[in-house]
């Protein structure tokens, strides 16, 4: 988790590392924290500039939502 915290300092791709942090938290059994990280990742994708995204916004959000669905 410490490594993902450091990676979150890179603002332009913070959504990706929030998704990664959510996965790590989910695997560690910290489900409430994972939900919060995935939700924050969705918010960051919405707020990101198009050129900072690694693909179409809707597809990225679908990927995060899919990961989030595994928590419930």
């Amino acid at each position: 988790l410490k490594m993902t915290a450091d990676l979150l300092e890179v603002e332009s791709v913070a959504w990706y590392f929030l998704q990664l942090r959510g996965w790590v938290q989910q695997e560690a059994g910290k489900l409430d924290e994972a939900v919060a990280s995935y939700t924050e990742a969705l918010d960051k994708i919405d707020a990101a500039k198009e050129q900072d995204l690694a693909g179409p916004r809707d597809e990225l959000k679908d990927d995060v939502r899919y990961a989030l669905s595994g928590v419930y």
Side-chain angles (χ1 to χ4, degrees):
L1 286 174
K2 170 69 172 117
M3 288 174 52
T4 58
D6 292 340
L7 293 170
L8 290 172
E9 299 297 320
V10 183
E11 186 63 33
S12 64
V13 291
W15 62 269
Y16 176 82
F17 295 114
L18 283 164
Q19 182 179 2
L20 176 63
R21 182 174 71 183
W23 178 80
V24 170
Q25 291 166 328
Q26 182 178 352
E27 292 298 311
K30 299 177 179 184
L31 303 182
D32 290 337
E33 293 173 20
V35 168
S37 293
Y38 287 136
T39 303
E40 190 176 350
L42 289 169
D43 293 341
K44 292 280 187 181
I45 291 170
D46 280 336
K49 296 177 183 172
E50 198 66 38
Q51 69 264 18
D52 291 337
L53 297 174
R57 189 178 311 270
D58 290 339
E59 288 180 21
L60 297 173
K61 289 175 70 174
D62 286 346
D63 290 345
V64 176
R65 286 188 196 110
Y66 179 76
L68 180 58
S69 72
V71 177
Y72 293 109

